[in-house]
């Protein structure tokens, strides 16, 4: 395929995706980058050696949510160009709620690669080491919570306000990973990475049930069976009635250097993890691959707090019998009710070590090499977070010109969005390889116009100025991975290869 | 090398440029035009009060209220020393000696209540027991004049003179007995049903001497005495026909002094839902009116005509079932808009006994009512 045709193909793919207004992908998977072994340990880059320098090697920020978009929160109204929020009296709340999902999740993730090393041993074996700091959050807000806030509880008469899907998990941990991949046959390549995990801090909610039943007579039955496990410099104090009296941050942890080191080492909260993956060359042009990543757990033992509530309480109003027969005043009956409520929701506070499991991912991919340098790929990625399952399906076009240049464009259907266009670019200058990858290019933008007031440095005068801030029209997902590797060598030296670009 | 890098960058830049050209500005939001109006108006509902109470929970037995052996509720009013006559009180005469029972008034202390009552109430079986101790050996005849004063009328008891029992001398020096006044010998039901705020009474006692065979018998000694007291028993055997209790109170909802944390303007709706299983043969309706005493006009009225429907009764007037009622009392924004225009609130409670034409029913102490009152509120929470 000539260079012109390649350019045209890339252009047509780009235009195609833009015209259908669909975009996104898990771009990294099919790129020729050392970091793609994070997604499938069987994948190897074309470099013989790579070194990821501390922090500079790369970071990955990933925020997914299935919440409403800006245009759902703010609506252009009448008169022309006026804007109303979803709390405006003329905004149709039902329309707003119709856009809210049953489970509204928000999943921020941050990965900072502290160190990465990979090198080839012999022809088939590739060994890699990683140290990554990871922060992962998973928050789920049930739709009923929004309905309750906006419409009130009468909406639920005769039914249950189901908050059992309410989740709030966040964990900060460090992983030390070491693994290898090699060809076991001419067609099959298998990779595995073992991970030693050190938990630094976490707060995780195990919500078995949480709900409020609104009966026909508007009596309410509250039931809760949930546990909040925490590990971190937080002290929860209880009163004599087992009610939480205070939650305090333990400043002493960070008063000394040894305390800070001890906290960030996470050495008392250890865990194990594994990534396994394989690729299979069906033909010279067709390659299948699959992996399971982040299969693992962390056992949290340090600064542990377990708050457990397993209670049921029925509120049917103040029972007036005692007031009517004169044995109590209405104030006393009210106080009894409050005491009952407090006693019904006692919380047990223990220090029992607990285990959290990493959300794990299953990738299944297939690629077709159009030419030696250009391929198209199809990738399914399933992420399992407890009982929640996220699915993404990506179609990508990839150009890998040795280890000198790699780019990928992808379309992904995920997150209830079908217009995700992603792109990645990696290029090498000498031993330095720069890369930037995003799963979603915001093609459509909204411009937010505003006015700000600034104060003069001298005197007390102020003046107003306008500003324009572009924001993505759809903000359901944001992904950015960028960094810099030191790379050496290139194992792809085939006699019949005609590189599109000649590296001098 | 540099040319190659430039070409690569050009390629990538071209791609991004195409995307950027195609991907354009979707909308422009001028936040300076953002309406400041923001509010929340959820409809909140909560069961406020409930109860399952019997009459005996509501009213305890006392000197004034008793439950008989059948649990029938009876009101009792007692007045001691209605009559206290000695021989010296009687006018001297040979055959007939007459003493006067001085006019007196028995205040039932119901004046305040009766001032707020209208409509018809009828008690079917009231009785007055005249309890006395008599040591006069000659017959004593009492002529009692009783007049009950109601709010706007009065009723005479119309009781015929009656003779008291006398002691059987010489073995019996005095006798304690009673004389019952009821519907068989008087207008008592009408008198009680007026209903009275006070009862005026007066009369005479006449001793008629008789000639004895045995001269040893002494007929009228200086120590002879007649002591009498009254006990008014009003069994709750009654009928109510639109008996209304009306009371006017200051408008406590008004928020003119700033002390009230609830501003009526903050509500779009306030609804009270009352569900009841009524075992009493009494129905109730409630009316609440906002009243401006300056212009003497009612500004707004909220009414619950079927707050409670009466229980069915058997042939004896005893409730033999329960009636379920579900009522909504709705205070809408029209009502709330008038709250600050009124300085008074008039509450009117109307009671009726069972039946299209209210019939005679009996109230027993084991009657029960279970109820649940829920509040439904639609507050207007503004973030402006």
């Amino acid at each position: 395929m000539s260079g012109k045709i390649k350019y045209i193909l890339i252009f047509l793919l780009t235009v195609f995706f833009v015209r259908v207004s669909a975009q996104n992908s898990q771009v990294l998977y099919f790129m020729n980058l050392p970091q793609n072994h994070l997604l499938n340990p069987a994948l190897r880059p074309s470099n013989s050696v790579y070194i990821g320098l501390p922090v500079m090697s790369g970071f990955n920020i990933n925020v997914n949510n299935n919440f409403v978009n800006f245009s759902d929160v703010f609506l252009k109204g009448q008169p022309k160009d006026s804007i109303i929020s979803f709390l405006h009296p003329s905004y149709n709340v039902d329309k707003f709620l119709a856009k809210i999902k049953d489970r509204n999740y928000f999943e921020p993730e941050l990965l900072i690669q502290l160190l990465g090393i990979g090198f080839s041993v012999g022809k088939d074996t590739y060994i890699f080491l990683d140290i990554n700091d990871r922060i992962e959050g998973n928050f789920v807000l049930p739709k009923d919570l929004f309905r309750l806030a906006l419409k009130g509880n009468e909406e639920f008469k005769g039914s249950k306000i189901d908050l059992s899907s309410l989740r709030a998990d966040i964990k900060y941990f460090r992983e030390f990973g070491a693994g290898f991949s090699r060809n076991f046959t001419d067609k099959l390549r298998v990779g595995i990475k073992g991970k030693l995990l050190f938990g630094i801090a976490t707060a995780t909610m195990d919500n078995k049930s949480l709900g409020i039943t609104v009966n026909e007579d508007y009596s309410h039955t509250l039931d809760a069976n949930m546990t909040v496990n925490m590990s971190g410099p937080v002290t929860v104090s209880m009163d004599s009635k087992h009610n939480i009296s205070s939650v305090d941050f333990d400043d002493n942890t960070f008063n000394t250097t040894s305390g800070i080191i001890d906290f960030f080492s996470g050495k008392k909260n250890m865990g194990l993890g594994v990534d396994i993956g394989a690729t299979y060359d069906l033909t010279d042009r067709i390659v299948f691959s699959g992996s399971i990543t982040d299969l693992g757990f962390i056992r949290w033992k340090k600064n542990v707090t377990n708050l457990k509530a397993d209670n049921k309480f029925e509120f049917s109003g103040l029972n007036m019998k005692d007031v009517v027969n004169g044995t109590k005043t209405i104030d006393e009956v009210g106080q009894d009710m409050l005491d009952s409520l407090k006693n019904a929701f006692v919380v047990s506070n223990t220090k029992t070590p607990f285990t959290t499991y990493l959300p794990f991912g299953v990738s299944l991919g297939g690629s077709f090499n159009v030419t030696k340098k250009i391929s198209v790929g199809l990738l399914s990625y399933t992420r399992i977070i407890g009982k929640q399952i996220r699915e993404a399906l990506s179609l990508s076009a990839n150009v890998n010109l040795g280890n000198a240049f790699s780019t990928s464009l992808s379309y992904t259907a995920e997150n209830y969005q079908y217009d995700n266009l992603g792109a990645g670019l990696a290029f090498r200058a000498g031993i330095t390889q720069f890369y930037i990858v995003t799963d979603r290019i915001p093609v459509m933008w909204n411009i937010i116009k505003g006015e700000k007031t600034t104060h003069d440095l001298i005197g007390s005068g102020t003046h107003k100025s306008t500003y324009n801030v572009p924001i993505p029209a759809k903000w359901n997902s944001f992904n950015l991975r960028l960094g810099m590797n030191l790379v050496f060598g290139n194992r792809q030296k085939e006699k019949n290869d005609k590189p599109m670009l000649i590296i001098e | 090398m540099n040319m190659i890098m430039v070409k690569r960058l050009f390629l990538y830049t071209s791609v991004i440029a195409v995307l950027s050209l195609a991907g354009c500005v979707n909308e422009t939001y001028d936040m300076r035009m953002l309406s400041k109006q923001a509010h929340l108006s959820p409809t909140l509902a909560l069961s406020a009060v409930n109860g399952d109470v019997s009459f005996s929970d509501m009213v305890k037995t006392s000197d004034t209220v008793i439950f008989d052996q059948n649990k029938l509720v009876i009101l009792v009013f007692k007045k001691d020393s209605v009559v206290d006559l000695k021989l010296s009180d009687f006018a001297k005469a040979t055959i007939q000696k007459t003493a006067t029972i001085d006019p007196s008034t028995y205040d039932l202390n119901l004046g305040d209540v009766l001032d707020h009552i209208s409509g018809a109430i009828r008690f079917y079986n009231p009785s007055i027991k005249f309890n006395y101790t008599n040591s006069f050996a000659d017959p004593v005849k009492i002529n009692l004049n009783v007049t009950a004063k109601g709010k706007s009328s009065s009723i005479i008891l119309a009781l015929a003179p009656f003779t008291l029992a006398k002691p059987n001398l010489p073995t019996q020096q005095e006798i304690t007995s009673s004389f019952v006044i009821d519907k068989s010998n008087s207008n008592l039901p009408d008198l009680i049903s007026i209903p009275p705020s006070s009862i005026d009474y007066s009369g005479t006692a006449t001793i008629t001497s008789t000639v004895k065979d045995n001269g040893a018998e002494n007929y009228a000694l200086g120590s002879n005495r007649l002591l009498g007291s009254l006990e008014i028993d009003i069994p709750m055997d009654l009928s109510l026909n639109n008996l209304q209790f009306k009371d006017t109170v200051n408008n406590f909802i008004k928020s003119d002094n700033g002390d009230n944390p609830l501003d009526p303007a903050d509500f779009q709706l306030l609804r009270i839902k009352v569900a009841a299983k009524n075992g009493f043969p009494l129905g109730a309706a409630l009316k609440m009116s906002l009243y401006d005493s300056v212009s003497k006009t009612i500004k707004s009225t909220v009414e619950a005509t079927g707050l409670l429907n009466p229980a069915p009764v058997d042939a004896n007037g005893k409730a033999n079932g329960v009636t379920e009622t579900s009522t909504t009392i709705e205070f809408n924004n029209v009502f709330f808009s008038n709250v600050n225009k009124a300085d008074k609130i008039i509450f009117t409670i109307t009671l009726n006994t069972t039946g299209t034409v209210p019939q005679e029913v009996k109230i027993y102490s084991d009657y029960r009512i279970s109820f649940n009152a829920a509040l439904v509120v639609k507050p207007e929470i503004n973030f402006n």
Side-chain angles (χ1 to χ4, degrees), chain A residues 327-372:
Chain A
T327 54
K328 287 182 180 172
T329 65
I330 194 162
D331 288 345
E332 288 171 331
V333 171
Q335 189 59 48
D336 287 350
M337 177 63 74
L338 289 176
D339 289 344
S340 300
L341 184 62
K342 284 179 80 174
N343 294 334
F345 279 87
V346 296
V347 177
S348 66
N349 185 357
T350 57
K351 309 281 183 192
T352 308
F354 60 93
T355 302
T356 59
Y357 296 91
L358 303 186
F360 68 96
V362 178
S363 298
L364 292 172
S367 64
F368 176 74
N369 296 318
V370 180
T371 70
K372 293 282 184 184

Side-chain angles (χ1 to χ4, degrees), chain B residues 220-232:
Chain B
L221 300 175
S223 58
N224 287 151
R225 192 174 185 188
L226 174 63
L227 270 174
S229 63
L230 289 179
E231 179 185 314
I232 304 171

Side-chain angles (χ1 to χ4, degrees), chain B residues 315-364:
Chain B
N316 296 315
K318 184 172 184 178
N320 59 358
V322 296
T323 301
E324 292 192 30
T325 316
S326 182
T327 310
T328 299
I329 307 169
E330 189 158 319
F331 302 85
N332 55 21
N333 50 10
V334 175
F335 178 89
F336 287 119
S337 67
N338 281 300
V339 162
N340 288 331
K341 297 173 186 170
D343 59 338
K344 302 285 181 186
I345 298 176
I346 302 171
F347 287 98
T348 306
I349 297 172
T350 305
L351 298 173
N352 279 293
T353 47
T354 306
T356 313
V357 176
Q359 65 188 79
E360 176 185 354
V361 301
K362 294 185 176 73
I363 306 297
Y364 289 87

Side-chain angles (χ1 to χ4, degrees), chain B residues 190-207:
Chain B
D190 293 336
L191 183 143
I192 296 294
S193 301
I194 196 174
S197 60
S198 63
I199 296 174
D200 296 341
Y201 62 91
S202 62
T204 58
T206 304
I207 299 173

Side-chain angles (χ1 to χ4, degrees), chain A residues 115-130:
Chain A
L115 184 65
I117 297 172
F119 54 90
S120 298
V121 177
K123 184 182 176 185
D124 292 333
T125 305
Y126 185 70
I127 293 174
F128 42 86
L129 300 165
D130 290 297

